[in-house]
Amino acid sequence: MTVRRDFKEPARCRPDLVIGREELFTAAREQLTRGGSVLLHGPAGIGKSTVLRALTADYGEAARTVLRCSATESESHLPFLALADLFGLVLDEISDKLPAAQRTALESALTGRGESTLQRDGLALRLAVLSALRALAAAGPVLLVADDLQWLDSASAELLGFAARRLGDTPVQLLCAVRTEGQEYDRHLRASPPDTLAVRLNPLSRAQVSTLLDHRGYPDLPRSTMREIHRTSGGNPLFALELGRALGENPTPPRPGEPLPVPTSLRALVLSRLDMLSDEARRTLLVASAGARPTLALLHAAGRENAEAETAQAAALGLLGTEPEGPAVRFAHPLISAALYAEAPAQERRAAHAALSTAASDPIERARNLALATTGTDPEVAARLAEAAALARDRGAPSVAASLGLLAARHTPPDGAPAPDDRRLQAAEDAITAGEVDLARDIAREVLTRATVPAERIRAWEVVIEAAGQSLGEVDAVFPQALADAGDDPRLLALVHYRLAWRKLIVEGDFSEARQEAAHTAELAARGGDRRTELMALSFQSSTETLMGHPNAPATIKRALKEPQDPYVACHHNGVGAARFRWLLMSDQLPEARSTITALLREVRRRGMVESEVHFQRFLAETELRSGHCGRALDLARESLRLARDSGIGLGASAMLASLAEASGGDVDRALALAREAAEHAEEDGDQMYVSRALAALGHAQLVAGDAAGAVGSLRRVRELEQGLGITDPARGRWQGDLAEALVQVGEPGEAQDVIDVTREHALRLGRESVLAVLDRSEAMVRAALGDHEAALSRLTSVQDRLAKLGYGLEEARAAFALARLRTLRPGAGPGPTSYDEAARLFRRCRALPWLRQVDAAATEGQAQPVAVAHKAPASDALEGLASMERQVAALVMEGATNREIAARLFISVKTVEATLTRVYRKLGIRSRVDIVRLAAGRHAK
């Protein structure tokens, strides 16, 4: 079919059509914009047609004529069908432009009259297609869109390939999609124009599958379910959508340990070759689909005597892959295994699990299969499952432990000991550890509908509160109920008050109240003999005191480090190890902080503590960023953000740190977007503590991007928020230097000095040496802005040395950059060719790419943007009432400087000078630069 530019289709939106394909979409779009062609390829269901339609809608407007065809398998035997789709509607437009022989051959092929064949009219047809495309292109660019090239009839494929190889500079582009496995696209690429870009569509990540399902009407699926959808679909968007639809239509979700329901549509798609297997081979594959890690040895042990021959038969049909390096039996796609299992009768599935329950060598696998082979309650089966769950927990697989725990609860008799709900709550706690908060919350809510024992109810309330994450405001109604359930039991009260301490901090933003609540919790836990809760409370209290700059922080940390210790608390992200790390980081002990957090990260990974891993990955990134290892910090921050998006844990905090890392070592635009995302998350969660952190990251990114006014706005709000929170330790966010520097740039050195003075008082009290050094750097910029260049130079030299000794590589480089700008651009100094070499070397060592770009710009253009340096404005009554920057600009005009000269001396743009002068004219009631000169001479403007 044809769409000419004279007859435009309605515009289509494409944002949700290319979920997870943004980079390849951009690459393909750029290739088309350059005049090239694109071949999309990948397996069935991977999204080729979706991307093809989106690209056509997005780029098709650039072409005068769009020719389209979409082949199907059932019609692939019909000769010239694709050719008719492409040229049928434009034949009248081009026929009179073709030589007679070519016109006759093409009309015969398109209409079916004359029984044209490639054998009889081969050359004429080939030339006719080429001439037709050239004739269309003479009137304007042509875009040829072909989907499912693999089903193109052979005659059309041959003709299009002939023309494509001979188009040369003719403005005809091909946008095609073909279903392939591996490198099969090569033969299609050989039939495409020489400048064709081959783009393979790969499986989507778990987060992308989740976004896709959200957009298509299947939101809020539990993360455990989403993980199974991603695993079963293999990241294939079509398969994932069909699985999501099946779940949405199924009122009974699959039980723990059972595969997802596979709709009939997908079963037919992936099991079309199953009927070619013998009955025995099919039973062997069913046993393999029921096993977690099937091997030939396992199949033999499960009674499948002819496993080798039967799996070879399945592999020949494409149902199984090949594993040349090992004995594993691997399905060609996870969906084949799931569909095969779903297709089998329940009795046959139980028989397969029964065989595996004795054949498997791993006790966890034996217990899982025993549960799936058993119906009803059975205390022996339940006990074996509980033991397997404990083993999985010890192995660092809490997600497996949660699944096994739920199976244990299902097989536990109502009067069993432990009771079914005890095992459900343990499963919920394992799910929390694994980051599956939706599953944990659902289990706890179910238990609360029938639990009457206070200890059980408090345990369930804890899970509900923990599952809320940073959104504690959403579970406000829980706290009165939990307090009522706790009664006067100090042990239970301690558990509730620990959560209340977090609420004071996150929801109310009151550090002082949070600290007092934590201290009260520690006392209650000690009275109740609950050492774990006591240690968690002390760790929380010490972290709060550290952030507040409270003098008791070191003593509280020592109390939290006393024996006996609890291994769980020691490595938890809110435990004593994390509290000690924060203290080390804020006290400028970077090597110790790095070794501490590295050890903690290793331990939580071993234990499978997903939430702690997210936070510790971010803490390590922050440590590397402070140390000036920007490339390493960026890698860690991006990985932390990926893990946070995948698990749904700590998104705001991870986005905040990723913003800082991007601003220092990556992409500044991305830094701005991530900071805004972090602020939105914090605002949505009602998390007062992280709102200020996110805004500090935004202010830093704005400063690096050259938006000093924006940075001032963001960082002034941070100052207000932290004053309200009671945070006095400047080492917490380290935004004060950025605020002072931005204030200098916008012409407010007085306010900048006030920020420095207030912050210095707290930094001196707490011994924050690196903060003091950064403040001295900022003060040097204030001095330079006021014209005291010698004092500024002296201070900057000292600052650079101090920061180098403390190990703050990036801050050292920033000091060197400021020093180079001041030396090069101070009055009377001409720029030197090597003035910026030291700053460039230090930034390069840090891999601080955004800063390196600033150095390059300063060195090549002779301008440095972030620091304002000027002659001290002469005192004049006429200039009273102007802002600092306005006075400086006016003073330089009085000296006769041009706008360009003012921009160079103040290190701002010419546009900024012009805008500042406009404000000066308005405030002074004058019209031009001449009037300012008259003021300088003591005359008034007429």
Side-chain angles (χ1 to χ4, degrees):
M1 101 184 242
T2 304
V3 178
R4 294 175 50 189
R5 283 305 113 220
D6 302 332
F7 307 95
K8 295 183 180 180
E9 289 184 313
R12 298 178 185 178
C13 59
R14 69 155 177 67
D16 69 329
L17 297 181
V18 291
I19 291 169
R21 309 298 190 193
E22 292 79 8
E23 290 187 12
L24 68 83
F25 187 95
T26 300
R29 181 68 170 77
E30 290 175 351
Q31 169 74 358
L32 292 170
T33 302
R34 289 192 294 266
S37 297
V38 173
L39 176 67
L40 305 170
H41 65 98
I46 203 67
K48 303 179 297 298
S49 297
T50 298
V51 176
L52 186 82
R53 287 193 297 270
L55 280 169
T56 304
D58 187 77
Y59 179 73
E61 296 292 327
R64 176 185 179 274
T65 305
V66 179
L67 307 176
R68 306 171 192 258
C69 70
S70 183
T72 63
E73 184 176 12
S74 62
E75 298 172 341
S76 60
H77 66 286
L78 300 174
F80 306 121
L81 183 60
L83 202 67
D85 286 342
L86 291 169
F87 293 104
L89 297 181
V90 293
L91 183 60
D92 292 343
E93 178 183 344
I94 59 174
S95 60
D96 61 346
K97 300 173 184 176
L98 303 180
Q102 295 179 24
R103 180 171 61 252
T104 300
L106 184 60
E107 289 176 347
S108 178
L110 296 185
T111 62
R113 297 192 297 271
E115 298 183 357
S116 178
T117 65
L118 276 179
Q119 288 73 23
R120 192 180 70 188
D121 303 316
L123 181 59
L125 267 175
R126 287 172 171 83
L127 293 175
V129 171
L130 181 60
S131 298
L133 289 172
R134 286 172 173 166
L136 288 170
V142 176
L143 178 65
L144 191 155
V145 181
D147 199 2
D148 282 317
L149 281 184
Q150 74 278 1
W151 305 131
L152 217 64
D153 64 272
S154 58
S156 297
E158 168 65 25
L159 293 171
L160 290 175
F162 175 87
R165 291 188 295 271
R166 290 165 175 80
L167 285 170
D169 294 332
T170 306
V172 176
Q173 297 170 267
L174 271 64
L175 174 56
C176 306
V178 60
R179 181 189 301 181
T180 60
E181 297 291 343
Q183 298 299 312
E184 295 174 13
Y185 72 93
D186 278 354
R187 64 186 180 89
H188 297 284
L189 193 61
R190 287 194 292 272
S192 302
D195 60 351
T196 299
L197 173 69
V199 178
R200 178 170 179 80
L201 276 70
N202 291 314
L204 300 179
S205 69
R206 191 192 305 180
Q208 290 165 348
V209 166
S210 177
T211 302
L212 176 66
L213 289 170
D214 284 347
H215 276 251
R216 297 301 175 87
Y218 306 108
D220 304 324
L221 289 171
R223 295 195 180 278
S224 55
T225 302
M226 189 60 64
R227 183 188 64 224
E228 282 303 302
I229 290 177
H230 182 257
R231 185 192 65 79
T232 303
S233 68
N236 184 296
L238 172 64
F239 297 170
L241 284 169
E242 287 296 298
L243 290 169
R245 181 180 61 79
L247 282 168
E249 295 174 352
N250 187 355
T252 305
R255 294 186 297 183
E258 291 183 347
L260 297 174
V262 179
T264 305
S265 58
L266 287 185
R267 296 186 202 179
L269 178 64
V270 300
L271 297 181
S272 58
R273 290 158 289 183
L274 198 64
D275 291 339
M276 302 174 67
L277 286 175
S278 66
D279 289 344
E280 289 302 312
R282 185 166 180 159
R283 291 192 185 95
T284 295
L285 289 193
L286 175 60
V287 174
S289 72
R293 293 174 296 277
T295 63
L296 288 172
L298 178 65
L299 294 176
H300 278 298
R304 308 311 302 165
E305 297 177 357
N306 298 316
E308 285 89 349
E310 289 160 355
T311 55
Q313 182 186 1
L317 293 172
L319 295 167
L320 293 179
T322 56
E323 292 285 354
E325 301 299 325
V329 175
R330 180 180 61 82
F331 284 89
H333 192 281
L335 187 61
I336 296 175
S337 173
L340 179 67
Y341 187 92
E343 189 84 359
Q347 185 176 354
E348 289 187 16
R349 282 186 276 183
R350 286 197 296 272
H353 286 299
L356 290 168
S357 69
T358 57
S361 59
D362 185 78
I364 292 177
E365 185 63 8
R366 287 199 302 270
R368 185 185 75 88
N369 280 289
L370 179 60
L372 295 174
T374 305
T375 57
T377 60
D378 186 322
E380 183 179 344
V381 172
R384 286 185 57 182
L385 284 163
E387 292 171 2
L391 180 58
R393 200 175 302 119
D394 291 342
R395 288 181 179 178
S399 180
V400 176
S403 176
L404 292 168
L406 288 176
L407 285 171
R410 175 152 61 95
H411 289 286
T412 301
D415 58 350
D421 281 346
D422 282 339
R423 284 177 167 154
R424 289 188 181 93
L425 288 172
Q426 179 62 66
E429 290 161 358
D430 287 329
I432 285 286
T433 301
E436 297 177 4
V437 294
D438 298 328
L439 175 62
R441 182 186 55 247
D442 292 345
I443 296 169
R445 290 287 189 186
E446 179 195 350
V447 170
L448 283 165
T449 61
R450 55 179 173 266
T452 57
V453 178
E456 279 188 6
R457 292 187 63 79
I458 294 300
R459 193 176 174 189
W461 286 129
E462 276 207 286
V463 171
V464 171
I465 296 169
E466 183 76 16
Q470 301 296 105
S471 306
L472 285 179
E474 296 179 2
V475 292
D476 263 351
V478 165
F479 292 103
Q481 299 176 63
L483 285 170
D485 286 335
D488 57 1
D489 186 330
R491 187 183 185 93
L492 298 181
L493 284 169
L495 294 171
V496 181
H497 279 278
Y498 176 71
R499 304 294 174 179
L500 281 169
W502 277 103
R503 187 191 175 283
K504 292 285 186 184
L505 181 64
I506 292 175
V507 178
E508 297 181 16
D510 193 325
F511 273 68
S512 179
E513 287 289 328
R515 171 184 173 272
Q516 292 177 27
E517 193 71 67
H520 180 49
T521 300
E523 294 171 6
L524 286 169
R527 280 167 44 201
D530 183 354
R531 181 62 174 164
R532 172 174 290 190
T533 303
E534 181 187 7
L535 288 171
M536 291 294 288
L538 288 170
S539 300
F540 178 77
Q541 181 184 344
S542 65
S543 293
T544 306
E545 290 173 346
T546 298
L547 295 174
M548 292 172 65
H550 197 284
N552 289 357
T556 307
I557 290 176
K558 287 181 180 178
R559 285 179 62 199
L561 287 168
K562 285 183 180 178
E563 296 293 339
Q565 284 293 313
D566 182 292
Y568 173 81
V569 177
C571 65
H572 191 273
H573 59 277
N574 289 323
V576 64
R580 181 171 178 271
F581 160 77
R582 289 188 188 92
W583 174 259
L584 290 169
L585 189 68
M586 293 174 69
S587 301
D588 299 325
Q589 300 179 57
L590 296 182
E592 294 88 344
R594 182 184 294 105
S595 61
T596 298
I597 200 61
T598 301
L600 287 169
L601 182 58
R602 187 184 308 116
E603 179 62 15
V604 297
R605 282 174 173 165
R606 187 188 70 79
R607 289 171 172 262
M609 298 169 66
V610 174
E611 184 172 6
S612 294
E613 181 181 355
V614 171
H615 291 296
F616 289 162
Q617 185 101 353
R618 187 180 79 253
F619 291 169
L620 181 56
E622 184 176 2
T623 307
E624 298 296 353
L625 194 58
R626 296 272 179 92
S627 303
H629 305 152
C630 298
R632 169 72 172 150
L634 185 59
D635 291 342
L636 288 166
R638 286 174 174 172
E639 175 62 21
S640 174
L641 184 59
R642 185 202 63 76
L643 186 59
R645 292 195 196 286
D646 195 36
S647 64
I649 295 170
L651 271 172
S654 294
M656 176 275 297
L657 200 283
S659 171
L660 291 172
E662 291 284 356
S664 298
D667 181 87
V668 178
D669 289 337
R670 180 160 171 75
L672 291 165
L674 284 168
R676 293 188 176 102
E677 177 187 339
E680 288 172 8
H681 280 298
E683 296 277 12
E684 288 172 5
D685 292 341
D687 187 344
Q688 298 299 311
M689 185 170 63
Y690 264 102
V691 168
S692 67
R693 294 295 306 271
L695 288 173
L698 177 60
H700 178 74
Q702 288 168 323
L703 182 65
V704 177
D707 180 11
V712 167
S714 298
L715 297 175
R716 277 175 174 163
R717 190 178 170 204
V718 174
R719 179 175 59 187
E720 294 169 4
L721 285 170
E722 296 205 349
Q723 285 173 351
L725 290 168
I727 298 173
T728 60
D729 193 335
R732 183 221 182 206
R734 297 174 181 264
W735 49 266
Q736 296 84 354
D738 284 344
L739 175 55
E741 184 174 332
L743 285 166
V744 170
Q745 289 188 50
V746 300
E748 298 292 346
E751 185 182 345
Q753 188 63 55
D754 289 341
V755 170
I756 293 166
D757 292 341
V758 171
T759 308
R760 181 178 284 134
E761 180 181 348
H762 293 299
L764 285 169
R765 175 174 59 84
L766 297 167
R768 303 302 192 221
E769 292 298 327
S770 63
V771 174
L772 289 168
V774 169
L775 291 174
D776 283 351
R777 184 185 70 203
S778 302
E779 190 168 46
M781 297 177 185
V782 173
R783 297 278 182 89
L786 297 175
D788 193 353
H789 302 93
E790 294 308 317
L793 284 169
S794 175
R795 179 154 297 194
L796 281 173
T797 303
S798 170
V799 164
Q800 184 180 343
D801 292 341
R802 287 157 58 197
L803 288 168
K805 290 175 182 177
L806 289 167
Y808 284 77
L810 183 59
E811 300 293 355
E812 175 195 357
R814 287 179 65 178
F817 189 22
L819 187 61
R821 287 179 298 192
L822 190 56
R823 284 174 173 164
T824 305
L825 297 168
R826 61 179 170 167
T834 61
S835 302
Y836 295 97
D837 287 355
E838 174 69 1
R841 181 185 69 81
L842 292 173
F843 281 131
R844 196 174 294 112
R845 184 184 67 183
C846 294
R847 286 181 57 191
L849 302 181
W851 290 102
L852 267 174
R853 285 190 281 271
Q854 288 195 31
V855 172
D856 289 343
T860 57
E861 297 175 12
Q863 292 185 1
Q865 299 161 356
V867 177
V869 183
H871 291 297
K872 190 173 182 179
S876 172
D877 292 340
L879 302 185
E880 287 299 321
L882 297 181
S884 175
M885 178 63 75
E886 293 165 351
R887 287 197 302 273
Q888 294 176 58
V889 170
L892 289 171
V893 170
M894 290 175 177
E895 295 178 8
T898 65
N899 284 3
R900 186 169 298 279
E901 289 170 342
I902 294 170
R905 292 173 67 176
L906 295 182
F907 314 129
I908 56 179
S909 68
V910 174
K911 286 187 178 180
T912 300
V913 174
E914 292 169 351
T916 304
L917 280 173
T918 299
R919 293 195 301 272
V920 169
Y921 298 157
R922 185 176 63 252
K923 288 183 178 181
L924 297 182
I926 59 179
R927 297 193 189 96
S928 68
R929 297 169 60 90
V930 175
D931 292 335
I932 295 180
V933 175
R934 288 173 178 162
L935 287 175
R939 296 190 300 271
H940 295 286
K942 302 293 185 185

